[in-house]
Amino acid sequence: MVLAIMYFLFNVVSVTLYINQSDQPLEQCVDVLNTCNWTLYADIGLNIFFLFHFILRLIAAPNRLKFWFQLGSIVDFCTIPPCALALILKRNWLGMRFMRALRFMQMGEILMTFNSTGT
């Protein structure tokens, strides 16, 4: 339950960081490890958490083939690798990170999990 709350809040933070960085060029050559840009470090930290959460969900999935075609898995698959590639290639790419906002479509499920809805 705590993991679900953290995951949702980290998604909100990730989308906020994306909006904050969206005024920058789509791709920039930046030495990610030697910059003072706190948004890059926050994004890397969030993506490490998202990767950990993805692996936990993969391990716990009863049907792993179906797991790969769920909305959350597709979002994670499109948003986590660019962060890892940014570290390897020393290029920051905004790219598909907007897809993290698609997780807000599951807000109804999250509210039902915590019995926050009236029905």
Side-chain angles (χ1 to χ4, degrees):
M1 190 169 190
V2 173
L3 188 63
I5 293 171
M6 286 178 51
Y7 187 71
F8 179 74
L9 291 177
F10 286 171
N11 271 309
V12 171
V13 172
S14 181
V15 170
T16 305
L17 288 174
Y18 173 76
I19 292 170
N20 183 22
Q21 293 176 351
S22 64
D23 65 339
Q24 300 172 2
L26 182 63
E27 181 180 1
Q28 9 174 346
C29 295
V30 177
D31 190 1
V32 177
L33 298 176
N34 294 327
T35 62
C36 297
N37 192 350
W38 65 271
T39 57
L40 287 176
Y41 293 130
D43 191 44
I44 291 168
L46 289 171
N47 278 295
I48 290 171
F49 173 79
F50 292 142
L51 179 63
F52 172 72
H53 189 260
F54 178 80
I55 292 170
L56 285 179
R57 287 185 332 193
L58 178 63
I59 292 169
N63 185 351
R64 293 201 177 146
L65 182 62
K66 185 178 176 184
F67 171 81
W68 287 102
F69 294 103
Q70 293 175 347
L71 176 65
S73 299
I74 294 170
V75 168
D76 287 339
F77 192 69
C78 291
T79 56
I80 294 172
C83 181
L85 288 174
L87 291 172
I88 295 167
L89 301 176
K90 297 181 180 176
R91 292 174 166 252
N92 186 25
W93 185 58
L94 290 176
M96 303 290 278
R97 286 181 18 203
F98 71 92
M99 289 184 66
R100 188 65 57 194
L102 292 175
R103 297 294 284 180
F104 295 136
M105 291 174 38
Q106 295 177 329
M107 189 176 294
E109 295 175 20
I110 294 168
L111 292 175
M112 286 181 8
T113 301
F114 302 116
N115 294 326
S116 298
T117 57
T119 57

